[in-house]
């Protein structure tokens, strides 16, 4: 309990910084100038850097800096976790953006985000019936099931952190759903069950397979991302379906939730034949309440639809390393969504400040800088609401042509992997490896494992070792499984020493199930959902204390809060575990044979219980027997002895 | 005096364990081999505990069941340490008393299990010795009253062969490979056996209160010993010369007394468990688990594969049919064997070990220990050779087919199932055959049967 209490400030901090990173990602936010003067400091620094870069590149073109703000986490903490627009604005608002990041492996990472914000209140009994930008189906779900926050993601493929770095929005393979309910909900489990069935219909997914056997209530790993500081995890439900296969039928309903559908704006690019011909595909919907202003008197609902794709152009690029919007999506852009208040494309050019790695065309003069995942990134910005973005051909086809293949990526500071050890179908051991690549700083991580009941975990075999030494977790929350009712839940707070591998092992026993409980392909194995590792990772920017950037000396002694650490969630691989199987072809035989044995047992006992023993008379000889028969026939009573 | 040879009376009626003479000497005489046996048994177990085999044995599904597995007891202790109720999950199914026992002696677990085996063996030894004394006394009376027909004389037991029976019983228990495996695997089945043995001992000694208390402990551990209630009451009544007659008040009074003691101590135990844990969680987790068989881990019993392959809507029906087998035979057997309560105990133990939901070899070892008690009746056994061969072959085939199924992947579950089936067929015959021979025995011993009389008259 004490550990739990200690965690709380840490969590508040995680929460704040996570919301910071999200907000930093969304570029439209502006801050009331009187709120904190220190904010001005950063764009200024950024501007200086930009000037410097421009100067160095010999003034190729004059670059403009977008009014981006990198916000101070401390100031953030004072205000509400999610501070948003000043009041004068339309009742609802829609923004869309696409971020493209060329990855060092030669792949391309494209991340779409569509954000609908609506000043309304689904709760408090008022019936909301007039919908404009916000999808009605989701609005009704929110009000009917008293949802406070809803996060759902469908992912095909596994994000390779070591090759690709951290994703903007992490998600585990398969489907993941986590929901915070309002504290007015009395029967959370029933509501959850109903909600999953409704969502299953909305997204054409097998979410109806979510039941109590794969639902858990994490105590620390999943905190609300929106406003509200309810941390009673009785109102939280988390479930994953690692087996879920994501395809077109999930994309179509997802696109229908967009105000413009796939008719205009960035959504035009979302053609399934290309999207699913990729190494990684993940689509998600996040709903949360956010503040309308910094005083947070009223709340709005934010719907964020995200779609992340990694294209493997290296293989399909016919030998040439170049990509364009047309090549990736087989479409070009011609207009922004008319309903969108902002529609932008960001290209990550941090590794390419002078264009030595790749060439970007058409060139843009608009630049933006943001703190993303602990790193200061620079982006080229294309504003689709501006007509001149489309040029004379009235269509935008971004093109990146690679010049050199070298260039190294900064290793992600935190990454994890997991596997099953052991042989045979009786027992096994789950190994989770967590890597801290930070050269000198240790940091705590929260590990969440949800293991189905048919792998019976033995918590007394849990070991956590780093650098060959026992590393005792400071907080363990363990909920053992109940057969056919609920899964195991294991949450641990582990301190990862600098530059180390921490190995968590736990033994399990494989259960034999009833023959009807197996999947149609039982010998394929059973999936175990990804472990979730959540952490505040010291940022890479703060790593170089001997700062090479031009900064005043007085500003660089203490690590700046906004740069010191950032929130990361890492998902490990799902596991595929084989279970012993009965012979599915012979239920009748087994029933017959076993019943026979029981009947034999019963029969032999019954026989002996009812039988009475008699002393057998010595059998008379043949002559006597004949004589007896004759006597009987002649009418003499009795027999001769 | 009929045609009984004189040597019979002279030789055979001098039973050395007669307390009046040479009791001290006898104690010394008998204690030596028993001590030797105990030392040998403990040495074997200690050696196995130290070897690498111990871990292998502890994983064997034939030796440990989901209830008795030591790994699960340790898991329960770990959960208790984490502040989680051990019964909130589906791993730990032992009773609260066991977990509190091991909370204190977990570091001496090996000694505890060896001690349990020693207690069982000694209790059985003493019980059988006492029982033999009574049998011999009865036989003496019968002989003196000249009730034995001459052709049954070969069944009369000589003191010499009876002298070694208690030792044989202890040996059958302690040196039985099944018991050794069970002990080395630290299966809590050994503790249950010790409780049952103590119950048998106190019953045969005629201590009503202790008998009720130990029976209640055994019931508390695993419901099924409930059926031992009937033989215990029959035996105690026989000992106190209370006729088994429904119209007698003394009969009902005794039943009420015994049940009061039994249920009273059961109530105390259950309340104690409640206060130890502060919740009733353990009731469904221990007794619900035994009765509803949710864990289908393979074992040597009949339940696992049957319920793995069962159609869901018939599950409850067949569950009742299978569970009722343990309790079902109690009344008819008590009626039939009311003159032989000790044999009834043996029968019930055998029935329990065959039809219980999670049987292990430890359960079989307990009833097998009783086999030497009726050794003089072996000639009436049928198919002894075949049955022992089947049991032996199955015991060796269990690990082989398990390996082929689970590790090599070259066999499937049916192979292992076939062996359990065969093992149970061989076992199912056991009580029946034993009873058969006892019935024959009872026939020869029945003193006043008119048939017998006439037979006697005719013959001589």
């Amino acid at each position: 309990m004490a550990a739990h209490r200690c965690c709380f400030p840490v969590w508040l901090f995680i929460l704040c910084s996570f919301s910071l990173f999200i907000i930093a990602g969304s570029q439209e936010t502006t801050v009331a100038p009187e709120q904190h003067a220190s904010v001005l400091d950063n764009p200024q620094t950024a501007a200086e850097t930009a000037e410097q870069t421009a100067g160095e590149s010999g003034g190729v073109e004059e670059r403009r800096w977008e009014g981006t703000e990198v916000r101070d986490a401390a100031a953030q903490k004072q205000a509400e976790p999610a501070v948003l627009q000043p009041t004068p604005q339309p009742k609802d608002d829609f923004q869309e953006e696409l971020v493209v990041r060329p990855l060092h492996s030669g792949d391309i990472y494209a991340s779409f985000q569509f954000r609908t914000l609506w000043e309304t209140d689904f709760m408090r009994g008022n019936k909301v019936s007039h919908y404009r930008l916000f999808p009605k189906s989701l609005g009704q779900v929110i009000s009917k099931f008293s949802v406070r926050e809803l996060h759902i993601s469908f992912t095909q493929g596994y994000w390779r952190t070591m090759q690709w770095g951290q994703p903007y929005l992490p998600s585990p393979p398969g489907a993941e759903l986590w929901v915070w309910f309002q504290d007015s909900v009395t029967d959370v489990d029933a509501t959850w069950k109903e909600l999953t069935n409704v969502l299953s219909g909305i997204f054409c997914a097998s979410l109806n397979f979510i039941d109590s056997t794969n639902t858990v209530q994490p105590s620390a790993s999943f905190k609300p991302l929106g406003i509200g500081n309810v941390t009673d995890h009785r109102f939280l439900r988390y479930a994953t379906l690692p087996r879920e296969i994501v395809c077109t039928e999930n994309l179509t309903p997802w696109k229908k939730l967009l105000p413009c559908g796939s008719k205009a704006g960035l959504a035009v690019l979302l053609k399934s034949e290309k999207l699913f011909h990729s190494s990684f595909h993940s689509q998600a919907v996040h709903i949360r309440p956010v503040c309308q202003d910094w005083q947070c008197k009223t709340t709005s609902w934010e719907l964020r639809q995200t779609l992340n794709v990694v294209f493997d152009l290296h293989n399909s690029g016919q030998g040439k390393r170049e990509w364009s919007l047309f090549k990736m999506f087989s479409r070009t852009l011609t207009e922004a969504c008319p309903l969108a208040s902002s529609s932008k494309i960001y290209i990550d050019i941090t590794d390419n400040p002078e264009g030595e790695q790749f060439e970007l065309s058409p060139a843009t003069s608009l630049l933006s800088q943001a703190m993303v995942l602990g790193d200061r990134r620079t982006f080229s910005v294309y504003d689709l609401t501006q007509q001149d973005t489309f040029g004379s051909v009235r269509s935008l086809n971004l093109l990146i042509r690679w010049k050199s293949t070298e260039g190294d990526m900064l290793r992600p500071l935190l990454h994890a992997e997991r596997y099953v050890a052991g042989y045979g179908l009786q027992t096994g051991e789950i190994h989770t490896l967590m890597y801290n690549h930070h050269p000198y700083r240790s940091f705590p991580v929260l590990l969440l494992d949800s293991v189905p009941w048919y792998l019976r975990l033995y918590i007394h075999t849990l070991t956590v070792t780093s650098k060959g030494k026992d590393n005792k977790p400071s907080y363990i929350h363990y909920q053992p499984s109940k057969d056919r009712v609920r899964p195991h839940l294991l949450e641990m707070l582990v301190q990862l020493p600098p530059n180390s591998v921490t190995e968590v092992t736990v033994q399990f026993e494989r259960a034999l199930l009833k023959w009807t409980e197996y999947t149609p392909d039982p010998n394929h194995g059973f999936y175990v959902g990804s472990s979730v590792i959540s952490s505040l990772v010291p940022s890479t920017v703060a790593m170089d204390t001997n700062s090479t950037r031009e900064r005043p000396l007085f500003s660089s002694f203490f690590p700046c809060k906004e740069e010191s650490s950032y929130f990361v969630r890492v998902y490990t691989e799902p596991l595929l575990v084989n279970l012993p199987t009965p012979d599915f072809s012979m239920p009748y035989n087994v029933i017959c044979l076993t019943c026979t044995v029981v009947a034999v047992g019963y029969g032999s006992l019954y026989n002996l219980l009812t039988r009475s023993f008699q002393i057998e008379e010595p059998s008379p000889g043949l002559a006597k027997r004949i004589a007896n028969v004759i006597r009987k026939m002649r009418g003499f009573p009795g027999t001769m002895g | 005096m009929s045609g009984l040879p004189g040597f019979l009376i002279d030789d055979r009626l001098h039973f050395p364990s007669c307390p009046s003479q040479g009791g001290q000497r006898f104690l010394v005489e008998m204690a030596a081999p028993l001590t030797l046996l105990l030392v040998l048994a403990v040495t074997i177990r200690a050696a196995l505990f130290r070897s690498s085999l111990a871990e292998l044995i502890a994983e064997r599904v034939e030796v440990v069941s989901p209830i008795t597995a030591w790994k699960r007891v340790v898991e329960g202790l770990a959960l208790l340490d984490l502040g989680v109720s051990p019964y909130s999950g589906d791993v730990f199914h032992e009773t609260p008393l066991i977990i509190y026992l091991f909370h204190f002696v977990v570091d001496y677990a090996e000694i505890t299990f060896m001690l349990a085996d020693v207690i069982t063996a000694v209790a059985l030894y003493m019980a059988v010795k006492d029982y033999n004394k009574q049998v011999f006394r009865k036989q003496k009376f019968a002989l003196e009253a000249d009730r034995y027909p001459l052709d049954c004389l070969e069944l009369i037991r000589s003191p010499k062969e009876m002298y070694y029976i208690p030792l044989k019983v202890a040996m059958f228990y302690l040196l039985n490979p099944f018991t050794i495996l069970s002990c080395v695997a630290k299966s809590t089945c050994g503790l249950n056996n010790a409780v049952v043995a103590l119950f048998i001992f106190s019953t045969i000694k005629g201590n009503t209160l202790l008998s009720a208390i130990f029976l209640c402990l055994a019931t508390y551990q695993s419901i099924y010993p409930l059926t031992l209630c009937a033989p215990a009451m029959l035996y105690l009544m026989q000992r106190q010369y209370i006729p088994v007659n429904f119209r007698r008040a003394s009969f009902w009074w005794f039943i009420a007394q015994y049940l009061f003691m039994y249920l009273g101590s059961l109530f105390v135990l259950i309340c104690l468990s409640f206060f130890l844990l502060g919740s009733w969680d353990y009731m469904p987790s221990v007794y619900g688990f035994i009765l509803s068989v949710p864990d289908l881990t393979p074992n040597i019993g009949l339940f696992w594969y049957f319920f793995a392959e069962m159609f869901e809507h018939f599950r409850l029906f067949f569950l009742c049919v299978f569970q009722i087998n343990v309790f079902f035979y109690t009344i008819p057997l008590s009626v039939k064997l009311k003159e032989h309560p000790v044999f009834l105990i043996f029968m019930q133990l055998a029935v329990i070990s065959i039809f219980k939901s999670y049987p292990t070899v430890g359960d079989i070892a307990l009833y097998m220990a009783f086999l030497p008690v009726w050794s003089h009746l072996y000639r009436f056994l049928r198919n002894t050779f075949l049955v022992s061969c089947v049991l032996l072959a199955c015991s060796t085939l269990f690990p082989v087919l398990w390996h082929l199924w689970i590790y090599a992947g070259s066999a499937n579950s049916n192979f292992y199932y076939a062996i359990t089936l065969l093992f149970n067929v061989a076992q199912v015959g056991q009580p029946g055959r034993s009873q058969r021979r006892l019935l024959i025995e009872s026939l020869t011993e029945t003193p006043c049967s008119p048939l017998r009389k006439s037979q006697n008259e005719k013959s001589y």
Side-chain angles (χ1 to χ4, degrees):
Chain A
M1 205 55 219
H4 189 71
R5 221 174 290 133
C6 293
C7 286
F8 184 68
V10 176
W11 278 105
L12 190 66
F13 191 62
I14 289 175
L15 187 64
C16 292
S17 18
F18 189 56
S19 51
L20 159 76
F21 126 64
I22 284 173
I23 288 157
S26 70
Q27 300 293 323
E28 269 308 298
T29 43
T30 55
V31 182
E34 73 276 5
Q35 194 181 344
H36 23 251
S38 64
V39 176
L40 296 172
D41 202 24
N42 289 317
Q44 203 183 336
T45 328
E48 279 169 23
T49 331
E51 274 164 27
Q52 184 198 349
T53 343
E56 274 167 14
S57 60
V60 183
E61 61 210 320
E62 199 186 326
R63 292 184 172 186
R64 278 183 302 122
W65 281 93
E66 204 190 23
T68 325
E69 60 302 292
V70 181
R71 256 192 260 159
D72 190 22
Q76 194 69 50
K77 212 171 190 175
Q78 288 157 18
E80 282 299 324
V83 181
L84 286 158
Q85 280 81 358
T87 27
Q89 60 160 344
K91 283 279 277 183
D92 46 4
D93 176 56
F94 175 68
Q95 299 167 305
E96 54 179 10
E97 68 172 50
L98 163 66
V99 183
V100 176
R101 190 164 93 192
L103 300 169
H104 287 274
S105 55
D107 305 327
I108 290 285
Y109 173 35
S111 170
F112 291 86
Q113 285 215 22
F114 303 91
R115 179 169 177 268
T116 313
L117 195 71
W118 193 15
E119 269 180 57
T120 188
D121 196 354
F122 290 111
M123 307 302 149
R124 310 241 167 81
N126 53 343
K127 254 180 106 86
V128 181
S129 53
H130 183 67
Y131 287 82
R132 209 173 78 94
L133 296 180
F134 203 91
K136 189 173 182 180
S137 55
L138 288 182
Q140 284 173 337
V141 164
I142 294 171
S143 53
K144 174 148 198 306
F145 299 106
S146 302
V147 172
R148 176 189 295 278
E149 262 188 41
L150 186 147
H151 304 269
I152 184 167
S153 76
F154 300 97
T155 307
Q156 187 72 36
Y158 177 68
W159 182 270
R160 292 175 178 80
T161 312
M162 280 313 274
Q163 289 175 33
W164 297 341
Q166 299 286 358
Y168 296 127
L169 283 159
S171 58
E176 182 198 43
L177 174 66
W178 56 287
V179 176
W180 276 92
F181 290 97
Q182 302 282 353
D183 45 14
S184 56
V185 178
T186 46
D187 189 354
V188 181
D189 287 316
T191 318
W192 165 251
K193 180 83 203 143
E194 213 171 324
L195 173 66
T196 52
N197 280 292
V198 168
L199 289 176
S200 163
I202 293 177
F203 292 104
C204 284
S206 333
L207 295 174
N208 52 323
F209 283 116
I210 292 179
D211 53 17
S212 65
T213 60
N214 47 21
T215 303
V216 290
Q217 301 174 38
S219 67
S221 292
F222 289 90
K223 289 293 165 196
L225 298 178
I227 56 166
N229 50 4
V230 178
T231 49
D232 186 351
H233 63 268
R234 279 182 298 137
F235 298 104
L236 169 65
R237 291 291 180 278
Y238 173 82
T240 52
L241 294 173
R243 216 193 162 145
E244 180 71 13
I245 289 167
V246 184
C247 204
T248 322
E249 76 270 17
N250 308 111
L251 182 69
T252 313
W254 183 88
K255 281 196 292 194
K256 274 188 187 160
L257 300 175
L258 296 170
C260 294
S262 53
K263 299 286 186 295
L266 290 174
V268 169
L269 301 176
L270 304 175
K271 290 293 169 209
S272 54
E273 73 268 26
K274 282 292 183 183
L275 280 185
F276 291 106
H277 191 247
S278 56
S279 311
F280 175 84
H281 169 93
S282 167
Q283 60 187 64
V285 170
H286 302 277
I287 301 172
R288 59 174 181 173
V290 292
C291 286
Q292 257 166 38
D293 49 20
W294 68 275
Q295 286 168 326
C296 208
K297 281 197 184 111
T298 48
T299 58
S300 332
W301 285 86
E302 183 198 70
L303 164 70
R304 219 179 252 261
Q305 287 179 260
T306 65
L307 193 143
N308 296 296
V309 203
V310 174
F311 289 101
D312 187 358
L313 286 206
H314 209 43
N315 290 341
S316 59
Q318 294 104 34
K320 274 193 288 180
R321 286 192 77 182
E322 64 168 47
W323 65 264
S324 61
L325 283 185
F326 186 76
K327 227 170 151 181
M328 282 199 294
F329 301 106
S330 70
R331 293 286 186 285
T332 55
L333 288 170
T334 50
E335 54 170 348
C337 171
L339 298 168
S341 63
S342 119
S343 173
K344 283 176 179 161
I345 298 179
Y346 295 85
I347 314 282
D348 191 335
I349 54 159
T350 318
D351 305 318
N352 186 38
E354 287 111 46
E356 73 269 19
Q357 284 237 325
F358 53 83
E359 189 187 323
L360 188 59
S361 71
T364 177
S365 54
L366 201 62
L367 290 182
S368 160
Q369 202 175 45
M371 279 290 295
V372 183
L373 299 165
D375 199 6
R376 204 185 296 275
R377 312 294 297 184
T378 315
F379 298 94
S380 291
V381 184
Y382 296 83
D383 191 346
L384 300 187
T385 47
Q386 309 290 321
Q387 271 311 309
D388 53 339
T389 311
F390 298 101
S392 51
V393 288
R394 320 291 308 151
S395 116
L396 176 67
N397 182 20
L398 279 172
L399 182 80
I400 287 182
R401 196 173 285 118
W402 291 85
K403 287 178 179 167
S404 70
T405 52
E406 70 255 27
D408 53 347
M409 183 187 62
L410 206 66
R411 266 197 309 183
L413 291 181
L414 172 69
H415 102 105
E417 52 190 49
R418 192 160 71 138
Y419 58 89
V420 172
Y423 65 100
L425 298 176
Q426 192 178 5
T427 55
E429 199 168 37
I430 297 177
H431 288 244
T432 311
L433 301 174
M434 293 183 285
Y435 295 84
N436 176 0
H437 291 307
H438 201 285
Y440 58 86
R441 186 156 293 173
S442 71
F443 54 86
V445 296
L446 255 172
L447 173 68
L448 172 105
D449 248 327
S450 163
V451 179
W453 65 267
Y454 37 79
L455 305 183
R456 299 203 173 89
L457 289 190
Y458 286 98
I459 195 70
H460 72 268
T461 60
L462 176 76
T463 58
V464 185
T465 46
S466 26
K467 292 183 168 173
K469 273 183 294 183
D470 198 31
N471 182 356
K472 201 172 164 13
S474 52
Y475 165 72
I476 293 185
H477 171 77
Y478 178 63
Q479 193 186 34
S481 71
K482 273 269 182 209
D483 284 5
R484 300 173 181 91
V485 176
R486 64 158 197 247
H488 304 269
L489 169 68
L490 175 61
E491 271 186 297
M492 290 189 289
L493 187 66
V494 186
Q495 188 82 16
L496 303 186
N499 208 2
S500 70
V501 189
T502 302
E503 185 172 24
V504 179
T505 64
V506 63
Q507 287 177 15
F508 65 87
E509 197 178 274
R510 298 163 210 245
L512 182 75
L513 311 182
K514 295 176 193 165
W515 70 304
T516 46
E517 286 171 337
Y518 286 90
T519 49
D521 51 349
N523 292 312
H524 175 74
F526 286 75
Y527 284 92
V528 180
S530 312
S531 315
V532 187
I533 294 162
S534 327
S535 174
L536 269 183
V537 178
S539 69
T540 42
V541 177
M543 213 152 83
D544 49 342
T545 42
N546 183 17
S547 179
T548 51
R549 290 174 185 277
E550 286 289 324
R551 286 170 73 182
L553 287 180
F554 62 81
S555 74
S556 62
F557 180 64
F558 290 111
C560 186
K561 268 277 174 57
E562 51 112 332
E563 296 172 338
S564 68
S565 53
Y566 62 99
F567 180 79
V568 162
R569 187 166 282 155
V570 176
Y571 292 93
T572 64
E573 302 91 334
L575 299 175
L576 184 57
V577 182
N578 269 311
L579 295 185
T581 51
D583 187 342
F584 296 100
S585 63
M586 49 180 281
Y588 287 104
N589 303 6
V590 170
I591 291 169
C592 290
L593 289 171
T594 313
C595 284
T596 307
V597 172
V598 173
V600 165
Y602 173 79
S604 69
L605 279 169
Y606 179 80
N607 183 1
L608 289 161
L609 287 170
T610 52
R611 172 179 294 187
S612 64
F613 285 86
Q614 302 270 333
I615 297 289
E616 197 180 88
E617 300 287 333
S619 66
L622 184 66
K624 270 201 177 148
R625 262 186 284 169
I626 294 169
N628 280 345
V629 172
I630 295 168
R631 278 162 73 97
K632 233 181 228 165
M633 280 165 63
R634 288 175 59 187
F636 286 101
T639 54
M640 219 165 77
Chain B
M1 213 62 202
S2 71
L4 263 181
F7 73 88
L8 265 181
I9 301 156
D10 294 342
D11 283 3
R12 300 200 174 180
L13 295 191
H14 176 70
F15 196 65
S17 65
C18 185
S20 56
Q21 73 179 98
Q24 208 70 28
R25 193 173 56 94
F26 165 73
L27 210 68
V28 176
E29 240 173 53
M30 274 319 280
L34 182 65
T35 317
L36 216 65
L37 176 66
L38 293 181
V39 169
L40 179 66
V42 168
T43 316
I44 292 173
R45 283 162 172 74
L48 278 173
F49 271 130
R50 292 283 159 269
S51 73
S52 57
L53 282 175
E55 244 174 75
L56 197 76
I57 294 168
E59 297 263 298
R60 302 295 321 154
V61 285
E62 299 88 14
V63 182
V64 296
S65 73
I67 299 177
T68 61
W70 176 246
K71 201 175 176 186
R72 295 188 181 231
V73 175
V74 175
E75 175 73 6
L77 288 170
L79 287 178
L80 211 60
D81 286 346
L82 275 179
V84 183
S85 162
Y87 298 106
S88 62
D90 247 343
V91 168
F92 181 73
H93 298 289
E94 261 298 350
T95 51
L97 280 192
I98 287 286
I99 199 170
Y100 272 88
L101 169 72
F102 283 110
H103 194 66
F104 297 110
V105 298
V106 71
D107 297 332
Y108 311 103
E110 296 175 4
I111 296 172
T112 312
F113 282 104
M114 286 196 276
L115 201 67
D117 271 10
V118 166
I119 288 173
T120 314
V122 172
L124 288 181
Y125 175 85
M126 310 273 269
V128 169
K129 206 170 73 179
D130 215 60
Y131 173 65
N132 270 353
K133 233 186 281 174
Q134 289 165 36
V135 167
F136 198 77
R137 203 180 298 137
K138 239 198 246 168
Q139 187 177 298
K140 193 171 145 193
F141 287 142
L143 273 178
E144 277 169 0
D146 187 21
R147 291 206 199 126
Y148 277 104
L150 197 62
D151 55 349
C152 301
L153 281 182
E154 56 205 16
L155 290 177
I156 291 176
R157 288 182 259 184
S158 72
K160 211 181 280 170
E161 60 188 45
M162 284 179 91
Y163 181 78
Y164 287 111
I165 283 176
L167 197 65
K168 272 190 202 160
V169 168
M171 196 154 78
F172 255 63
Y173 187 75
L174 281 179
L175 299 186
N176 189 340
F178 286 166
T179 326
I180 295 175
L181 288 178
S182 182
C183 178
V184 171
K186 294 193 250 183
S187 157
T188 53
C189 178
L191 302 180
N192 297 357
N193 284 354
V195 173
V196 173
L198 284 172
F199 153 72
I200 293 169
F201 174 60
S202 48
T203 309
I204 287 181
K205 279 282 176 199
N207 191 328
T208 316
L209 179 65
L210 277 183
S211 159
I213 289 175
F214 281 120
L215 181 61
C216 141
L217 260 175
T219 315
Y220 169 78
Q221 281 294 103
S222 61
I223 301 180
Y224 297 122
L226 177 70
T227 58
L228 296 177
C229 217
M233 284 194 283
L234 279 176
Y235 184 87
L236 290 167
M237 279 193 280
Q238 202 180 61
R239 211 183 146 92
Q240 296 173 16
Y241 304 108
I242 299 168
V244 183
N245 188 338
F246 293 114
R247 270 167 292 188
R248 290 289 191 80
S250 60
F251 170 77
W252 289 111
W253 173 238
F254 179 80
I255 299 254
Q257 253 180 325
Y258 192 83
L259 284 183
F260 177 75
M261 283 186 274
Y262 173 67
L263 294 176
S265 40
L266 200 61
F267 178 74
V268 168
L269 269 184
I270 284 171
C271 288
L272 183 67
S273 316
F274 171 73
F275 288 120
L276 279 179
L277 287 172
S279 79
W280 293 110
D281 281 354
Y282 74 94
M283 293 294 261
S285 191
V286 177
Y287 305 117
F289 184 77
I290 291 173
L291 292 178
S292 68
V293 203
D295 192 325
L296 301 172
T297 310
N299 56 33
I300 58 172
L302 292 166
F303 279 70
W304 65 277
Y305 206 52
F306 187 73
F307 286 104
E309 296 269 8
M310 180 47 63
F311 298 99
E312 201 52 43
H313 45 287
F314 288 130
R315 191 180 149 81
L316 185 66
F317 169 71
F318 276 104
L319 204 59
C320 297
V321 169
F322 271 51
Q323 292 285 12
I324 213 168
N325 266 302
V326 176
F327 305 99
F328 180 65
Y329 301 115
T330 312
I331 291 171
L333 278 177
S334 314
V335 171
K336 190 83 182 177
L337 296 173
K338 65 173 183 289
E339 302 297 326
H340 304 274
V342 176
F343 188 76
L344 183 54
I345 290 180
F346 165 73
M347 287 291 289
Q348 288 292 353
L349 285 178
V351 166
I352 289 172
S353 83
I354 294 165
F355 290 113
K356 77 188 286 193
S357 42
Y358 304 99
T360 60
V361 292
D363 299 304
I364 296 168
L366 183 64
Y367 85 80
M368 277 196 172
F370 278 94
L371 289 179
V373 179
W374 294 279
S375 56
H376 60 294
L377 296 172
Y378 279 149
R379 74 189 63 180
F380 296 108
L381 279 183
R382 291 190 300 198
N383 308 330
T384 320
F385 179 70
L386 184 70
V387 167
S388 25
C389 279
V390 168
L391 286 180
L392 213 64
C394 287
S395 309
T396 47
L397 277 176
F398 273 131
V400 172
L401 292 179
W402 178 261
H403 181 86
L404 289 184
W405 172 27
I406 295 296
Y407 293 102
S410 52
N412 68 5
S413 48
N414 293 343
F415 287 66
Y416 193 77
Y417 166 67
I419 289 303
T420 61
L421 211 57
L422 194 59
F423 190 73
N424 279 299
V425 170
Q427 267 201 87
V428 154
Q430 188 91 353
R433 288 174 310 109
S434 313
Q435 190 185 11
R436 182 189 172 77
R437 74 189 190 221
L438 190 91
L439 285 175
I440 294 168
E441 181 196 39
S442 64
L443 190 69
T444 59
E445 278 183 0
T446 312
C448 325
S449 121
L451 176 92
R452 162 93 25 222
K453 277 262 152 57
S454 64
Q455 169 82 21
N456 282 352
E457 277 155 16
K458 252 183 206 164
S459 304
Y460 303 100

